[in-house]
Amino acid sequence: MDDEAKPNPNAEGNTNAAFAAEEAASSPPPPSSSESAEERAKEEEETGDLVEQLVELVEEIAAISDFRNAYRRQFCNLSRRIRLLAPMLEEAKEGPWPLPEASYSALRRLREALADSRELLRLGGSGSKIFLVLEREKIMKSFQDITARLEQALGFISFDELDISDEVREQVELVHAQFKRAKERSDPSDDDLFNDLLSIYNSSTSANVDQDILQSLSEKLQLVTISDLNQESLILHEMASGGDPGGVVEKMSMLLKRIKDFVQSRDPETGTPASTTELSGKDNMASPIVPDDFRCPISLDLMKDPVIVATGQTYERGCIERWLEAGHDTCPKTQQKLPNKSLTPNYVLRSLIAQWCEANGMEPPKRAAQHHNAPASCTAAEHSKVVELLQKLSSQNLEDQREAAGMLRQLAKRSPENRACIGDAGAIPILVSLLSTVDVSTQEHVVTALLNLSIYEENKARIITSGAVPGVVRVLKRGSMEARENSAATLFSLSLVDENKITIGASGAIPALVHLLSNGSQRGKRDAATALFNLCIYQGNKGKAVRAGLVPILLGLVTETESGMMDEALAILAILSSHPEGKTAISSANAIPMLVGVIRNGSARNKENAAAVLVHLCNGEQQQQHLAEAQEQGIVTLLEELAESGTDRGKRKAIQLLERMNRFLMQQSQAQAQAEAMAQAHAHAESQAQVVNEAQSQAEMQVEQLLLPTSSHLSDGRDD
């Protein structure tokens, strides 16, 4: 009976008799007189369970409140009417059991309708406010469907069979009548709210959005404080964890970002315009728009302590920690499953954010105290286990060393507490001393254990001061492929601390990383690329990387699409192009056509990096040559598109290139006009000279004619 077709919501005149007839037609025959007491007891138990479930559903619905959204009245009415059913269900618990099949089936229908009502009310109480407006047709259809189902389920219930008192019966009949009227009446949705959201979504930039519309939306949606906005952002990421096939969550995130930009330009606590003393810009101008790359994808706020998760995405530490503590095991942005929950500080981005704040006259964000992130001290048993492993690691027995190194590798992988415990126990100097072991397996375990330990910040300093870098570089040059991969990853992890970039660069690691990038496994190439990218942020390492032959390898990875390394290669090229040697090497490789091709067909991030390389190439001695070559490749239209629809950084680079290209084209036009003018002047001078020559020739001819003897000299004849 649970999978029977639902009654038509628009059908009128349903009666208990009709419903009973329907049930009788599809019900099993009545039990025989020999039916056992055990079967009757089972039926009574099922009826009791069903009523208990109904009571629990009503209690859960009663606990849902705070409907602060566009459908507040509808949600409140639905919740209030359902709560009024509680007395009937309480009396039904004491009623006669088992119930007739018709009443039992009617209660099952009521349970299904109440379960769906609970989900709808949960959406209204804790769901996305923007979603409720954008999906208004679905929401209103859900209201109508649930209202009709509740009305019909109540109409099929027999008060006599449930032994309901007259007072409660009158109350339920009133609720039934209210559901019936609500079913026949369609509440209008807020068209203005929906249209305002669409107008914001269709605006090309935040600057084009009407501030009055944003003010109205912020108030109607109850998104007036930073706390409100952060809560909405978290809800959107929760929704995205189930996939976003229609792009609805992406659309809502963009709308939320624009509302948040508006709210942040006002007092974050009250939503009123900030006072003139609080404005940081000159002449009381609004705060600059924060670039998307500097915002946490969860909170949409400027990041104070950016950290990288296992998928490579960056988040504000506090936001991603709350996400993980809530039980999620996926990356909020990509929805990929996280292989681990380690968080690596993004020092590069933190530095860029500080530079941006300084350039815009803003106070750089300060990180919150990290005391709550420090791993708890390990237990005595855990410490004893680590000490036992270190004793084995220090022995001269090769098998003991291999086993202990492997165990430490696994322990260090599991948790921050283990990493802290192992580091505190003094394991790092012993591990470093075994980097030179001739046993391949032990060496692999040792370098991987150091990699896992380096994730914990305090262990980075311990590894450096233990003199590990030369040993790690030796493994990078001569170890097995697995050991080389993990050596590169270790150098990357250590290089996250700025001063370590200098130490690692001076150790001879860069040529070895370049070799691994060229000849390693796919994983080894990625580890090498990541380490090289981080090391080359330090200006002193860029020249070393170029002299090690990095540029041709990177250009090859860009053109070989099957390598899957285009993203990493272009990111490193963008860094190297700011160095004179890097710029010369890229220029010598005739890379302009390839870079223009990336801007034409690449991903948004790759277009951005290709444009960044071109900005450096099209500057200095060979600027004219490179601009001319880029123009021949049809770059102008591509840059115009990138300036309109690229990433924030991509837009800036495209605008820089367009400005230089416009100056170049203007100079070309002026030079061409000057050349044409000179040619015209030369032609005019030649024409004038020709006229003068012709005039002189005519004058000479006239003189010669005057000097010739005339015919009169011969008219008298000769005197013989």
Side-chain angles (χ1 to χ4, degrees), residues 172-460:
V172 175
E173 286 174 345
L174 176 62
V175 172
H176 182 212
Q178 291 175 347
F179 275 126
K180 187 173 183 178
R181 285 196 299 272
K183 181 187 73 171
E184 297 167 352
R185 182 182 67 247
S186 177
D187 290 320
S189 58
D190 193 334
D191 291 335
D192 290 341
L193 191 56
F194 179 78
N195 292 331
D196 285 347
L197 275 178
L198 283 188
S199 71
I200 289 181
Y201 180 75
N202 292 326
S203 300
S204 57
T205 64
S206 297
N208 296 334
V209 178
D210 189 322
Q211 298 296 297
D212 291 337
I213 291 179
L214 286 169
Q215 174 75 27
S216 173
L217 282 174
S218 174
E219 293 172 354
K220 286 185 177 181
L221 294 173
Q222 296 286 311
L223 298 174
V224 295
T225 68
I226 297 301
S227 176
D228 294 334
L229 294 159
N230 287 345
Q231 181 64 27
E232 179 76 2
S233 181
L234 285 170
I235 292 170
L236 294 186
H237 280 83
E238 291 272 6
M239 293 175 64
S241 63
D244 187 22
V248 176
V249 177
E250 182 180 353
K251 179 189 292 188
M252 291 191 293
S253 295
M254 191 278 284
L255 289 167
L256 180 61
K257 174 181 175 296
R258 292 191 170 173
I259 295 173
K260 190 160 194 172
D261 285 340
F262 169 77
V263 172
Q264 286 183 321
S265 68
R266 308 166 78 81
D267 189 306
E269 296 301 323
T270 65
T272 57
S275 66
T276 55
T277 59
E278 293 173 327
L279 292 171
S280 59
K282 295 180 180 179
D283 299 326
N284 295 336
M285 293 174 61
S287 300
I289 300 299
V290 178
D292 288 343
D293 292 343
F294 296 168
R295 296 175 183 267
C296 172
I298 296 176
S299 68
L300 301 181
D301 283 332
L302 180 67
M303 286 186 276
K304 300 177 181 178
D305 188 9
V307 293
I308 306 169
V309 298
T311 59
Q313 299 295 326
T314 297
Y315 300 93
E316 173 64 31
R317 182 187 292 274
C319 294
I320 191 63
E321 283 180 343
R322 286 193 294 274
W323 172 267
L324 296 174
E325 288 166 2
H328 299 288
D329 61 354
T330 57
C331 172
K333 191 170 184 179
T334 67
Q335 297 310 311
Q336 293 175 275
K337 187 174 179 63
L338 293 170
N340 59 69
K341 295 185 179 181
S342 61
L343 304 177
T344 304
N346 193 334
Y347 293 104
V348 178
L349 185 59
R350 189 191 303 168
S351 175
L352 292 174
I353 290 173
Q355 293 174 24
W356 179 84
C357 289
E358 183 178 350
N360 287 277
M362 296 172 60
E363 182 73 19
K366 296 180 180 179
R367 290 191 296 162
Q370 298 295 313
H371 302 297
H372 62 285
N373 292 326
S377 301
C378 57
T379 64
E382 291 169 337
H383 181 75
S384 177
K385 182 178 181 180
V386 171
V387 170
E388 181 182 344
L389 289 173
L390 294 186
Q391 290 173 348
K392 283 188 175 183
L393 196 66
S394 303
S395 73
Q396 300 304 311
N397 185 297
L398 191 60
E399 292 293 333
D400 285 349
Q401 288 180 348
R402 185 185 304 123
E403 180 186 356
M407 288 294 295
L408 287 170
R409 168 184 179 173
Q410 293 300 321
L411 285 173
K413 178 182 178 181
R414 289 176 189 167
S415 69
E417 291 78 13
N418 285 350
R419 295 176 200 124
C421 184
I422 294 169
D424 292 341
I428 289 173
I430 305 173
L431 288 167
V432 170
S433 69
L434 288 175
L435 283 170
S436 58
T437 181
V438 295
D439 184 70
V440 174
S441 295
T442 303
Q443 189 179 70
E444 290 173 353
H445 290 327
V446 167
V447 76
T448 309
L450 288 171
L451 166 62
N452 295 338
L453 289 170
S454 70
I455 297 172
Y456 179 48
E457 287 299 297
E458 290 186 15
N459 285 340
K460 284 183 171 65

